[in-house]
Amino acid sequence: MKDHFHTPLRQTPFHPRTSALNRLNQWGAWAGYTTALAFDDEAMEYTAIRNGASLYDLCPMVKYRITGPDAAAYLNRLTIRNAAKLSVGGVHYTVWCDDAGKVLDDGTLFRHGAEDFMLCCQERHLPWLLDSATGYEVQVREVTEEVAALSLQGPCSAAVLQAAGFDMCNLRPFRMAKLGFEGVEITISRTGFTGDLGYEIWATPAQALPLWDALMRAGAPWGIRPIGTSALNLARIEAGFIITNMDFIPADQAVREDRARSPFELSLDWMIDWEKGHFTGRRALLAEKARGSSWALVGLDIEGNVSAEGSLIYHNRKTEVGHVTAAAWSPATKRNIALAQVRRPHHTGDTLWVEVYALRELQYHKLMLRAHVTERPFFAPARRRATPPGAF
């Protein structure tokens, strides 16, 4: 793009609508795009996620189309899960590692056809993906700018879709369906980043504004709201989901060797398919499985109601054993929760202490708060998996 340095952040196809609604004028950068952090009331945006319906612009998410006769074999070599087992119309969560078994990124893999996949993730990895394709009859292409994506989340999201003319009541979690809109095919998947009932809608940029208008119009009786990244982040913490460059550093970006993390250290080893054959990082992960890991990513319950984000974690109040990567007071569970990286063996249920600095009238007060390792997700309503969804 000529003279791109004059406008370093691009606008998504939904920007004419999101900019008009952003009363707070709060914007952030995401993968080279301008994205809304909050529109008018962050608390009400969170409430829409948990009690109504919410709409979030997903366009900046990095997307790759992977096609060809060897597409499944290539993805088996690239990722730790078995892509060949993913049926057409299915979606699964996955990660991929470097040769040392350290995570490069996580993302969702969509299978559109026998030889047609789409991989969505946080960071850009085209050179790595192309290098990994050597020897395979496969084409890898970034399609981020070709896809306009929206996330429709909340207990009323199925009702909103039905009111808009999209009956998704029989669509199961991690499945997708194709249907027509404005004379062009769109894809709706039962996926999301809130840990609640929700869907993601994949269209073309030309369909973006009519799609936004149709959903906002259909969702009016359910109080649908556009939401920003701040409200979504609170929901994802409650769901126990991790984010690249917030909860872990991609191995190719880590300046210090001890900062990268393996699937074992991120509690993602449940995805590893040891029987599918070789994949990048397999030997290193087998060695780690035999000797044990250094770190664990855990959920914490922390006393009080002061958010502990960025805090250090101690054993016996004096030995540093980890740090909090994400934290919040959870409105849904009425708990002070956190995601944290903790040195083993302190991840097994010891009473830990979190050093929190609370800002009170321009002065910071140091608090040493008790914390207990707890199960994730912190919030997991049955409606997120109910098929058909309940009527809300």
Side-chain angles (χ1 to χ4, degrees):
M1 185 171 60
K2 185 178 180 182
D3 295 337
H4 62 87
F5 52 87
H6 290 305
T7 54
L9 292 181
R10 304 197 67 181
Q11 296 177 352
T12 78
F14 297 105
H15 190 79
R17 297 294 183 268
T18 57
S19 59
L21 293 168
N22 195 337
R23 296 173 61 192
L24 297 177
N25 201 29
Q26 290 190 10
W27 300 95
W30 176 16
Y33 283 86
T34 296
T35 188
L37 300 179
F39 283 86
D40 56 10
D41 188 323
E42 186 179 325
M44 291 304 294
E45 291 172 31
Y46 167 83
T47 299
I49 297 172
R50 292 290 182 239
N51 297 289
S54 63
L55 208 54
Y56 181 72
D57 184 354
L58 271 182
C59 291
M61 180 184 290
V62 183
K63 311 165 193 74
Y64 296 102
R65 204 70 181 228
I66 299 163
T67 57
D70 292 340
Y74 160 76
L75 287 163
N76 268 351
R77 177 68 165 78
L78 176 76
T79 70
I80 66 175
R81 292 192 80 168
N82 194 330
K85 289 184 177 179
L86 183 62
S87 62
V88 175
V91 187
H92 73 202
Y93 174 55
T94 191
V95 303
W96 51 102
C97 303
D98 64 8
D99 289 330
K102 302 302 183 181
V103 174
L104 288 165
D105 208 347
D106 65 341
T108 44
L109 182 65
F110 297 73
R111 189 165 195 172
H112 288 276
E115 301 178 358
D116 185 3
F117 295 81
M118 183 172 72
L119 182 64
C120 298
C121 54
Q122 186 77 7
E123 303 293 317
R124 284 188 161 80
H125 298 280
L126 189 57
W128 181 270
L129 298 182
L130 292 174
D131 287 347
S132 300
T134 301
Y136 291 96
E137 192 176 346
V138 65
Q139 295 79 46
V140 181
R141 187 169 60 92
E142 183 177 343
V143 295
T144 303
E145 296 179 19
E146 301 172 22
V147 180
L150 283 175
S151 180
L152 174 66
Q153 302 286 306
C156 300
S157 54
V160 172
L161 281 177
Q162 192 160 24
F166 310 127
D167 187 354
M168 294 289 108
C169 289
N170 293 320
L171 188 66
R172 302 191 308 277
F174 293 98
R175 301 294 299 176
M176 57 183 171
K178 298 180 186 295
L179 59 163
F181 175 73
E182 298 279 310
V184 182
E185 184 178 81
I186 65 171
T187 300
I188 299 179
S189 58
R190 189 166 168 182
T191 50
F193 203 55
T194 64
D196 216 316
L197 175 64
Y199 304 83
E200 292 173 334
I201 306 158
W202 313 85
T204 66
Q207 295 170 295
L209 298 185
L211 178 62
W212 178 281
D213 293 341
L215 292 172
M216 290 294 287
R217 186 167 53 249
W222 290 274
I224 191 171
R225 276 179 175 267
I227 65 165
T229 301
S230 298
L232 180 64
N233 188 53
L234 175 53
R236 75 92 183 176
I237 294 172
E238 291 181 330
F241 295 150
I242 61 175
I243 296 182
T244 312
N245 273 316
M246 291 185 69
D247 300 293
F248 71 95
I249 299 293
D252 61 336
Q253 297 181 26
V255 177
R256 299 165 180 82
E257 289 187 3
D258 65 342
R259 296 300 193 264
R261 297 288 180 261
S262 74
F264 289 103
E265 294 172 321
L266 294 177
S267 299
L268 299 175
D269 52 294
W270 58 270
M271 289 194 286
I272 301 175
D273 189 323
W274 300 106
E275 307 302 321
K276 68 173 182 173
H278 185 68
F279 58 89
T280 304
R282 186 177 189 273
R283 292 189 186 93
L285 291 172
L286 277 172
E288 182 179 349
K289 183 180 180 183
R291 71 172 183 271
S293 304
S294 300
W295 292 87
L297 187 125
V298 301
L300 293 179
D301 259 323
I302 303 172
E303 66 180 349
N305 61 3
V306 180
S307 176
E309 187 158 8
S311 298
L312 296 178
I313 301 170
Y314 295 88
H315 174 64
N316 289 335
R317 302 181 71 137
K318 57 185 178 182
T319 304
E320 185 181 327
V321 296
H323 62 278
V324 171
T325 63
W329 169 258
S330 164
T333 66
K334 305 299 186 288
R335 295 156 63 190
N336 197 19
I337 60 175
L339 300 174
Q341 291 190 2
V342 178
R343 287 190 180 275
R344 298 173 185 262
H346 301 287
H347 69 294
T348 57
D350 293 348
T351 298
L352 301 172
W353 295 85
V354 179
E355 182 182 55
V356 178
Y357 288 84
L359 181 61
R360 293 173 175 167
E361 297 183 18
L362 303 182
Q363 293 185 29
Y364 281 99
H365 293 259
K366 178 181 174 180
L367 307 174
M368 290 295 283
L369 304 176
R370 288 185 181 86
H372 300 278
V373 175
T374 188
E375 293 291 325
R376 295 183 294 145
F378 304 100
F379 179 69
R383 65 190 180 222
R384 78 193 195 283
R385 294 192 178 277
T387 306
F392 294 95

